[in-house]
């Protein structure tokens, strides 16, 4: 299925940005080198972080952005033994190993703690280095920082801290590294107070004035002496556990420190005490209480760590003073710290790594290095083998940037000229690897920019065709360049044009390097030589030979072509995987076969070459399934009694398959459906009179349809339990009943009478078959209002790994400009929605511009003539008639409908609603539209995926007997008890508090504004927001009055872009949690809970204000912060002033100073904002940490990959009994090897995003969910033949599921349909 025009441009553009940086990594020596270079106190605000950011890409000789500040310190880290846990000599790490290297810089006094932990993943039992991984290769995971703050005696932490976490990329190594960087303990104010000569002199003079006789002749202490005294006191405190104290009247103490230094002493843990004496009182200073260090035990308490840190900093300060002065007393150190570099290397397993011979003698790592070493995460002293290792790790971890890493390897090979690197580069080139330079040259060949925004595949192919027609002799060169672009863009269309590159006799001669006069024997020699060079060119060689043989009528060339067609030589397995575009050699056999089918459908001319690749892979894997497929064209089907059954895609039904699989895992629902005859509604006059679902009465026709749906679902469930195959095909009738609401059946029946025969479908939209829920037609621009409106066309896309289902993720936020009202007494709202405040603001913005919105689809579908309108009006209560005025008898029923998150409790198909606002002016009908009957199917085809869920639950309730009836007449049953909760809204109105309770089937959360945590997203549905009532605006918040056992969360991703007048899907990451605690959202009588919620709302308001201010100060139009811009302007003014040749004159001499002061002020404000934001975020994170009485476990994650109008769905379901995640992807059910990466993390380039989540009450897991129930039964041979015949009609391989009741009124035609894979 192809996307809409232009829809592939964005994805392709992302992949061809040559400066794109992805999840690359770095080796352990590179990490150590970056630790020595990274200075948090001297970084560019908008520059790269050398420690955590990928290295800058160097393309086309453009200089990279600086990675460290101009005044950054190259650290000289020294180890603090009393705080370290160092690896024993020659010891290998075990699953219980954890190392810590605590160090300080001997220049800038900052502190660094390096933690290396091997305890996190017991299944990874081969820590690096080992035979396969000579070094650790670390990938950055996350960061956490605390901005600047003032220290105090009550808060002795570092003024600035930041943590960075890395993980080894080896699948067998459990190592994680946490780097903790901390600012000096002694601030500049502390140092000034202690060591400023003027302040020292003032202190001495003060004491001499108080006791001149006692201190007469006592010298004024030098700054180094004062610092030495403090260090001596701290050293005494660390020597033993006994309490030590210092006489406050000690001469040395009075003349060096005295009372003025009390703030520093108290900060360091000194305590002032007084003791009575004969003469009065004697004052003492108790030294800090430091716990003694024993063998193998580190300093643990904060005070001991503080004293040890300051002791080391004082040593650095004293050495600095001695170096600055030629004379003065020199302190003899009792302790000489050792450099930390060896401790770093031993902890990270990189001690004595393999170096090039010259580096073993001496190497200056401080010299300017080639940026290509950093690109590979390597160092200049790496041996050739380690450089190749670093290259391979980068290309595996960051495949999108493989061309750049190949560039780095090529450049380093040129610099070294080593045979090993030359061989590696040659092998990669022969395998078809391309470099970033190759890509850039290819684009330049066609005179186009790789970052051009409006460039799609058609544009590139057009450039190639124009170049080929203008210069026929250069067509071969043009195709080579086109091939490079096709590989870089991962575009099958471009590669297809490039590969099918011989279409004429002249092109065949040019490609072979022959001429018109070249004889046939030499032509055959050239053909053989080309085949030896690359077997992948065999289809082209056959094409060239065939064209030449036809033109010359040459039997010899024809014979060579025929013999080549007998079959290629066996393909190398590595080349086979590359030929099919498969990087993961652990891929399952079914997925390999599916990939082969996709490639074959994309390039049918290359099918024999692709078949040779599949043959080589099957032989290497010794795969019976691949072998059977090559012989029969079908993958051998195997079923398991301990594994779920897949559901084949019958045409854009991947979402339906995911939903049905989820329902099957809900044990109470599955048992109910399997024994449905016990719950079936009898539909007597008495039961019909009382039966209300979704706050409205149900008709007998609806009940009969719903019961039919329940029994179809029962048939499917039975097949999922007993099927002898690994996948089955759902019945068409079940799909129809699930996807089409009862009110739309009439429209589809009408449509079926006029539709042409063809593939079975749900109808047509603009002449294109509809096979599942689809998105709304494209919104017309403002200029199209008076033209014939065209719905968005559903077109087929070539099947690929990332899918092709034309299904809308969810509907955009509703355009509703009516005020929210509530009746006194808390009975109901007329328009209550449980949405978050951010979405509310977006809706308000849309309403303010509502005149520019296109008309609603119902308005576009109105019949153009009165005759049509009258016929539809008489037809009944179908949704087409929504524009007619409501009848008196249905007005009250419509207003009684419970609403949660803007949607009815369950879909009320038969009830027409009042228009939310006057309908827009309908477009003028064209001549064509007046001749055709109204396209009523458009209304039925607009359901989003959440409407399908509502339709399922609605039908099940309609088909069931009620257990009881609530006070509003609503039916109670097992469905409502399983899936529905009750929310309670509170409004603090002027007339008094108002409340309202209502049912909800799911909670809607918004991720349109950027990535967020699941709690942050849920907060948006329950936090306070302003609502408008008849007497003003008042705060409203929502709580949960009753939790459902099965909690469903709808992630709203489709939004409306007012500028483009189009819908778009937000791919922002939603950080999921395995367990969530819902105590914080409950409607509790405990006033402390509400107080906690109110406090968090206040913090969030403060956070929004701070983030708005930070955004205003932190960025400009030139991608530079305001302080950096001011500094840059200051430097420019100074350069102009000092340039004698400049024609400019600066008249304001103080302008540079004013700019510097302003820049510093803004920077200070930014630091204060960062500190405040950090504090608020920490408070919010811990506000509800103690509330864990209501845990819910994540059980299902519905996934969508694609855009707002097309894409593919699958579902992950967790098995609590076996502890594994399974991926249900249509007919394939597979175990998820790495759930953290596949489910909880998100691909940055083409993300598969969660859009529907299911959490289950943790205390009832065994009772509520059970994903596997299998009772295999081998069907009789005759029955298998029938099943296979039914399957063949659909093009599937599974067993028919459910009863085979025909659809009424010929909705489905009798012809078969080709199965469309869910890819």
């Amino acid at each position: 299925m192809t996307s809409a025009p232009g829809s592939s441009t964005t994805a392709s553009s992302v992949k061809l940005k040559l400066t794109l940086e992805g999840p690359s990594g770095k080796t352990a020596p590179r990490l150590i080198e970056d630790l020595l270079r990274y200075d948090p106190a001297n970084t560019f605000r908008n520059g790269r972080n050398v420690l955590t950011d990928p290295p800058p890409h160097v393309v086309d000789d453009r200089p990279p952005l600086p990675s460290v500040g101009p005044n950054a310190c190259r650290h000289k880290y020294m180890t603090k033994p009393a705080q370290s846990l160092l690896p024993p000599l020659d010891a290998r790490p075990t699953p219980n190993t954890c190392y810590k290297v605590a160090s300080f810089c001997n220049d800038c006094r900052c502190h660094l703690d390096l933690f290396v932990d091997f305890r996190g993943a017991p299944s990874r039992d081969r820590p690096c280095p080992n035979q396969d991984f000579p070094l650790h290769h670390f990938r950055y995971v996350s960061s956490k920082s605390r901005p600047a703050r003032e220290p105090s005696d009550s808060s002795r932490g570092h003024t600035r801290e930041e943590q960075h976490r890395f993980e080894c990329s080896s699948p067998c190594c459990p190592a994680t590294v946490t780097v903790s960087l901390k600012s000096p303990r002694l601030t500049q104010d502390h140092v000034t107070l202690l060591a400023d000569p003027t302040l020292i002199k003032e202190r001495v003079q003060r004491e001499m004035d108080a006791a001149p006789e006692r201190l007469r002749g006592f010298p004024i202490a030098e700054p180094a002496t004062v610092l030495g005294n403090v260090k001596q006191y701290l050293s005494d405190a660390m020597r033993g556990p006994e309490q030590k104290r210092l006489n406050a009247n000690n001469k040395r103490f009075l003349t060096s420190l005295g009372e003025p230094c009390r703030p520093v002493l108290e900060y360091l843990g000194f305590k002032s005490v007084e003791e009575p004496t004969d003469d009065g009182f004697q004052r003492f200073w108790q030294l800090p209480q430091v716990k003694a260090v024993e063998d193998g035990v580190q300093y643990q308490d904060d005070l001991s760590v503080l004293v040890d840190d300051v002791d080391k900093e004082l040593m650095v300060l004293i050495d600095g003073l001695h170096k600055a002065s030629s004379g003065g007393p020199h302190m003899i150190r009792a302790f000489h710290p050792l450099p930390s570099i060896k401790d770093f290397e031993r902890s990270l397993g990189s001690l004595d790594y393999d170096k090039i011979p010259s580096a073993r003698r001496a190497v200056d790592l401080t010299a300017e290095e080639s940026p290509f070493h950093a690109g590979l995460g390597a160092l200049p002293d790496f041996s050739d083998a380690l450089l190749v290792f670093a290259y391979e790790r980068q290309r595996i971890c960051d495949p999108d940037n493989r061309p750049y890493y190949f560039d780095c390897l090529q450049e380093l090979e040129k610099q070294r000229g080593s045979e090993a690197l030359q061989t590696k580069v040659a092998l990669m080139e022969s395998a078809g690897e391309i470099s970033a330079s190759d890509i850039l040259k290819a684009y330049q060949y066609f005179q186009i920019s790789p970052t051009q925004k409006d460039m799609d595949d058609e544009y590139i192919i057009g450039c190639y065709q124009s170049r080929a027609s203008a210069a026929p002799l250069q067509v071969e060169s043009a195709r080579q360049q086109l091939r490079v672009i096709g590989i870089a863009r991962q575009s099958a269309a471009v590669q297809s044009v490039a590969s099918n590159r011989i279409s004429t006799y002249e092109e065949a001669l040019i490609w072979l390097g022959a001429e018109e006069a070249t004889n046939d024997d030499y032509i055959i020699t050239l053909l053989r030589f080309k085949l030896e060079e690359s077997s992948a060119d065999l289809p082209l060689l056959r094409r060239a030979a065939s064209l030449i043989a036809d033109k010359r009528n040459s039997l010899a060339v024809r014979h060579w072509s025929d013999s080549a067609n007998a079959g290629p030589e066996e393909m190398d397995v590595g080349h086979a995987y590359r030929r099919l575009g498969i990087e993961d050699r652990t891929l399952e056999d079914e997925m390999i076969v599916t990939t082969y089918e996709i490639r074959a459908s994309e390039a049918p001319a290359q099918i024999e070459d692709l078949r040779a690749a599949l043959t080589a892979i099957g032989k290497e894997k010794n795969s019976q399934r691949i072998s059977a497929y090559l012989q029969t064209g079908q993958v051998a089907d195997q079923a398991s009694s301990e594994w779920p059954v897949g559901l084949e895609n019958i045409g854009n039904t991947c979402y339906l398959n995911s939903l049905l699989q989820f329902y099957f895992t809900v044990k109470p629902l599955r048992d109910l459906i399997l024994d449905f005859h016990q719950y079936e509604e009898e539909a007597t006059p008495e039961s019909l009179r009382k039966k209300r679902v979704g706050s409205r009465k149900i008709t007998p026709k609806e009940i009969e349809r719903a019961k039919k749906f329940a029994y179809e679902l029962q048939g499917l469930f039975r097949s999922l339990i007993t099927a002898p195959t690994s996948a089955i095909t759902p019945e068409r009738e079940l799909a129809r009943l699930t996807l089409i609401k009862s009110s739309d059946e009439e429209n589809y029946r009408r449509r079926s009478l006029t539709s042409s025969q063809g593939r079975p479908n749900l109808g047509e939209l603009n002449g294109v078959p509809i096979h599942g829920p689809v998105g709304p037609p494209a919104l017309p621009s403002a200029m199209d209002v008076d033209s014939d409106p065209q719905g968005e066309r559903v077109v087929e896309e070539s099947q690929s790994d990332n899918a092709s289902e034309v299904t809308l993720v969810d509907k955009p936020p509703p355009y509703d400009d009516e005020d929210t009202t509530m009746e006194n007494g808390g009975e109901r709202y007329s328009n209550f929605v449980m949405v978050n405040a951010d979405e509310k603001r977006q809706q308000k913005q849309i309403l303010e511009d509502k005149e520019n919105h296109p008309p609603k689809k119902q308005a576009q579908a109105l019949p153009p003539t009165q005759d049509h309108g009258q016929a539809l009006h008489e037809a009944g209560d179908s949704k087409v008639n929504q524009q007619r005025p409501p009848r008196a008898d249905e007005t009250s029923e419509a207003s009684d409908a419970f609403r949660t998150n803007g949607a009815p409790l369950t879909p009320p198909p038969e009830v027409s609603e009042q228009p939310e606002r006057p309908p827009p002016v309908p477009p003028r009908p064209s001549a064509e539209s007046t001749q055709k009957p109204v396209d009523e199917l458009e209304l039925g085809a607009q359901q989003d995926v959440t409407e399908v869920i509502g339709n399922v639950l609605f039908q099940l309730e309609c088909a069931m007997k009620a257990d009881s009836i609530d006070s509003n007449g609503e039916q109670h049953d097992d469905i409502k008890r399983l899936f529905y909760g009750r929310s309670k809204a509170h409004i603090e109105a002027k007339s008094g508090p108002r409340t309202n309770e209502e049912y909800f089937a799911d909670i809607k959360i918004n991720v349109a504004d950027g990535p967020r945590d699941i709690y942050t997203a849920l907060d948006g549905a329950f936090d306070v927001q302003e609502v408008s009532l008849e007497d003003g605006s008042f705060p409203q918040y929502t709580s949960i009055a009753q939790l459902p056992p099965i909690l469903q969360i709808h992630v709203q991703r489709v939004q409306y872009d007012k500028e483009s007048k189009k819908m778009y899907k937000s791919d922002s990451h939603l950080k999921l949690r395995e367990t969530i605690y819902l105590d914080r959202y409950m409607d509790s009588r405990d006033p402390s809970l509400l107080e906690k919620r109110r406090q968090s709302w206040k913090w969030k308001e403060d956070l929004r204000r701070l983030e708005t201010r930070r955004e205003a100060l932190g960025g400009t139009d030139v991608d530079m912060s305001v302080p950096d811009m001011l500094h840059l302007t200051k430097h420019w003014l100074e350069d102009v002033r000092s340039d004698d040749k400049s024609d400019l004159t600066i008249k304001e001499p103080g302008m540079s100073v004013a700019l510097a002061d302003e820049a510093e002020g803004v920077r200070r404000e930014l630091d204060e904002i960062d500190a405040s934001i950090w504090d608020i975020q920490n408070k919010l994170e811990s506000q509800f940490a103690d509330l864990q009485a209501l845990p819910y476990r994540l059980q299902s994650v519905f996934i969508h990959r694609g855009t707002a109008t097309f894409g593919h769905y699958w579902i992950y379901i967790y098995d609590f009994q076996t502890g594994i995640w399974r991926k249900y992807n249509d007919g394939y059910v597979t175990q998820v090897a790495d759930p953290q990466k596949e489910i909880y993390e998100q691909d940055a380039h083409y993300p598969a995003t969660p859009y529907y989540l299911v959490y289950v009450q943790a205390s009832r897991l065994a009772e509520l969910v059970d994903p596997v129930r299998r009772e295999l039964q081998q069907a009789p041979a005759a029955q298998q033949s029938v099943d296979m015949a039914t399957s063949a009609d659909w093009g599937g391989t599974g067993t028919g599921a459910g009863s085979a009741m025909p659809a009424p009124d010929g909705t489905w035609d009798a012809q078969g349909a080709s199965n469309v894979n869910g890819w």
Side-chain angles (χ1 to χ4, degrees), residues 400-536:
D400 284 339
N401 283 309
R402 283 171 51 177
Y404 177 69
Y405 300 131
F406 192 44
D407 248 354
C408 294
L409 188 66
Q410 288 177 325
E411 291 298 327
L412 294 177
E413 179 269 321
K414 293 176 184 176
Q415 294 175 14
R416 290 195 177 184
S418 70
E419 183 177 350
L421 293 185
Q422 290 175 355
T423 302
K424 178 65 176 178
V425 169
L427 288 174
M428 298 304 295
E429 289 176 339
S430 65
E433 193 77 11
I434 60 174
S435 68
S437 300
D438 294 334
I439 298 172
L440 190 60
K441 290 176 183 176
Y443 279 107
Q444 291 173 345
Y445 181 87
F446 295 110
Q447 298 181 349
I448 55 180
S449 169
T451 57
Q452 187 173 324
K453 292 185 178 180
D454 58 348
M455 175 177 56
D456 56 13
D457 291 348
E458 293 183 4
Y459 177 81
I460 293 174
I461 294 172
C463 291
Y464 154 74
Q465 292 172 342
S466 176
R467 181 68 178 263
S469 62
L473 296 180
Q474 299 180 15
V475 68
E476 171 59 20
S477 176
R479 280 180 172 145
Q480 290 288 353
Q481 302 299 335
L482 185 66
R483 171 185 167 274
V484 171
I485 294 176
I487 295 174
R489 293 173 63 89
Q490 299 183 12
S491 167
V494 174
Q495 292 184 65
S496 176
V497 173
S499 61
N500 189 19
R501 50 191 171 191
I502 301 176
S503 56
T504 65
Y505 168 70
E506 291 75 18
E507 288 181 355
L509 292 177
I510 294 172
W511 187 69
L512 288 174
E515 298 178 353
E516 179 68 32
T518 304
N519 61 43
D520 292 352
D521 291 340
Y522 193 70
I523 291 288
I524 294 173
T525 301
L526 291 174
L527 290 168
R528 289 172 176 169
F529 179 77
K530 286 271 191 182
L531 181 60
E532 291 174 359
E533 278 189 329
S534 174
S535 61

Side-chain angles (χ1 to χ4, degrees), residues 597-610:
E597 292 175 338
I598 292 171
R599 302 287 181 259
S601 65
E602 293 173 343
Q606 303 176 27
I607 192 167
E608 293 190 19
D609 191 43
L610 294 169

Side-chain angles (χ1 to χ4, degrees), residues 146-200:
R146 187 189 71 193
R149 67 179 183 184
E150 290 298 324
S152 65
D153 57 339
S154 61
S155 175
R156 296 189 174 93
H158 297 267
T159 58
R160 186 187 299 268
E161 298 178 31
E162 57 183 68
Q163 282 188 358
H164 308 288
R165 187 167 176 267
F166 302 83
E167 289 181 352
C168 183
S169 67
S170 167
C172 302
C173 180
T176 62
V177 172
T178 302
V179 177
S180 180
L181 294 147
K182 309 169 188 176
S183 59
R185 296 280 197 168
L186 293 176
T187 66
Q188 188 57 47
D189 290 341
H190 291 152
V191 176
T192 301
L193 181 59
L194 291 173
D196 183 88
T198 302
L199 296 180
I200 296 174

Side-chain angles (χ1 to χ4, degrees), residues 1079-1145:
D1079 311 54
R1080 65 187 68 182
Y1081 305 119
M1082 297 304 295
D1083 193 63
S1084 172
R1085 296 182 180 180
D1086 183 2
S1088 63
L1089 176 58
L1090 182 56
E1091 183 58 33
K1092 281 190 172 187
R1093 294 183 68 183
R1094 292 187 188 278
Q1095 182 62 63
S1096 70
W1097 299 335
K1098 182 180 181 301
W1099 286 336
K1100 288 175 185 177
E1101 187 61 35
D1102 294 341
L1103 189 62
R1104 282 191 288 269
R1105 176 179 52 80
L1106 289 169
E1107 288 174 340
T1108 301
R1109 179 61 176 165
R1110 181 175 62 178
E1111 183 179 357
L1113 295 177
T1116 62
D1117 293 339
V1118 293
D1119 193 23
M1120 186 179 294
S1121 69
V1122 173
D1124 290 342
M1125 177 69 78
L1126 293 172
H1127 274 299
L1128 184 63
T1129 307
K1130 169 182 171 292
H1131 292 317
W1132 178 80
L1133 290 173
E1134 292 173 348
D1135 291 342
V1136 170
R1137 186 178 290 112
S1138 61
D1139 187 359
D1140 297 335
K1141 299 180 181 180
S1142 176
D1143 297 331
L1144 298 175
T1145 301

Side-chain angles (χ1 to χ4, degrees), residues 896-908:
D896 284 342
F898 289 112
R899 290 181 173 271
T900 299
N901 298 335
L905 171 67
T906 50

